[in-house]
């Protein structure tokens, strides 16, 4: 039977879907192998996990604290605690990244409990903080995406919708990363994002370019 798929050089949808599924399964298997090696004291395996999740942890912590120096310190402490606790790590229905995010979230909470700082970083503070770190999108990109009217519109959203919009569109995180950070399923993040966009459409000025 001749190949009638019209896009030469590209796999048909079914084949592409099977390939993506295989890649995801291989990725999960690779992650499990790395975690098991790290649990047994393999420093190289832990280093590979560190490289894989460093940016995700850093960006989450920075979003919460608004300081590059403090975010670096808390990110380092996150991985130090993970290293100390590797022997006790179990999957428990979640992946290694979710475990790291739990450690990071607890460290941020502990930091604010021990000081006089507020736990929440407001939307305005996130926008006003210079995004010049190597783990943060370039200033020019953020400047093009955000202006004062958009900021004011985002500030009218509920707290969860604000966080979802900022993580997804300002920090450029994927659905999976946002789900890890917010402690939700990817499907819930999709629904939250949809509601947030609908809310923004209602409150944004009609003459917004």
């Amino acid at each position: 039977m001749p190949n009638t798929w019209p896009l030469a050089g590209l796999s048909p949808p079914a084949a592409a879907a099977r390939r993506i599924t295989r890649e995801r399964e291989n990725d999960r298997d690779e992650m499990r192998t790395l975690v098991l090696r790290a649990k047994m004291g393999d420093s190289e395996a832990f280093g590979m996990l560190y490289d894989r999740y460093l940016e995700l942890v850093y960006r989450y912590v920075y979003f919460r604290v608004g300081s590059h120096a403090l975010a670096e310190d808390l990110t380092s402490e996150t991985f130090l605690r993970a290293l100390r606790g590797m022997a006790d790590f179990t999957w428990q229905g979640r992946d290694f990244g979710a475990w790291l995010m739990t450690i990071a979230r607890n460290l941020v909470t502990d930091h604010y409990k021990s000081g006089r700082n507020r736990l929440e970083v407001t939307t305005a503070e996130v926008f006003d903080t210079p995004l010049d770190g190597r783990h943060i999108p370039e200033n020019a990109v953020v400047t093009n995406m955000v202006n004062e009217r958009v900021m004011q519109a985002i500030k009218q959203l509920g707290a969860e919708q604000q966080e979802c919009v900022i993580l997804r569109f300002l920090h450029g995180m994927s659905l999976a990363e946002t789900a890890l950070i917010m402690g939700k399923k990817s499907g819930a993040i999709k629904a939250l994002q949809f509601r947030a966009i609908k809310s923004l459409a209602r409150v944004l000025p009609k003459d917004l370019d």
Side-chain angles (χ1 to χ4, degrees), residues 8 46 61 88 101 142 153 165 190 194:
F46 187 84
V61 175
D88 299 322
M101 298 308 298
V142 178
V165 168
K190 284 184 179 180
F194 177 74

Side-chain angles (χ1 to χ4, degrees), residues 84-193:
R84 291 171 178 166
M86 277 304 303
D88 299 322
F89 171 74
T90 56
W91 292 101
Q92 297 176 338
R94 59 180 180 173
D95 67 16
F96 184 75
W99 183 58
L100 284 176
M101 298 308 298
T102 299
I103 296 174
R105 187 180 297 114
N106 290 340
L107 282 171
V108 171
T109 301
D110 290 345
H111 166 75
Y112 283 106
K113 283 181 178 178
S114 64
R116 292 176 295 181
N117 299 300
R118 291 179 295 111
L119 179 60
E120 295 83 8
V121 177
T122 67
T123 306
E125 288 169 338
V126 172
F127 291 149
D128 290 342
T129 304
L131 301 181
D132 55 2
R134 64 186 179 91
H135 300 294
I136 302 298
E138 294 295 330
N139 277 330
V141 175
V142 178
T143 300
N144 289 334
M145 291 178 62
V146 182
N147 58 39
E148 182 64 25
R149 288 186 292 179
V150 174
M151 184 185 77
Q152 293 301 322
I154 292 175
K155 289 171 67 176
Q156 295 181 48
L157 300 176
E160 282 196 337
Q161 290 185 0
Q162 279 191 36
E163 186 173 9
C164 180
V165 168
I166 290 170
L167 291 176
R168 290 282 289 124
F169 302 116
L170 301 188
H171 290 301
M173 293 188 173
S174 67
L175 281 170
E177 290 171 338
T178 304
L180 281 175
I181 290 171
M182 298 187 68
K184 296 179 179 293
K185 301 291 186 181
S186 292
I189 294 298
K190 284 184 179 180
L192 184 62
Q193 175 181 308

Side-chain angles (χ1 to χ4, degrees), residues 15-35 37 48-49 52-53 91:
R18 288 194 296 270
R19 176 178 54 79
I20 292 171
T21 298
R22 286 196 301 270
E23 289 175 353
R24 288 175 177 172
E25 290 174 350
N26 291 338
D27 186 62
R28 284 195 294 268
D29 291 341
E30 179 185 352
M31 286 303 303
R32 286 182 176 272
T33 300
L34 283 177
V35 170
R37 286 171 52 193
M48 294 173 71
L49 292 169
R52 185 183 183 96
Y53 288 105
W91 292 101

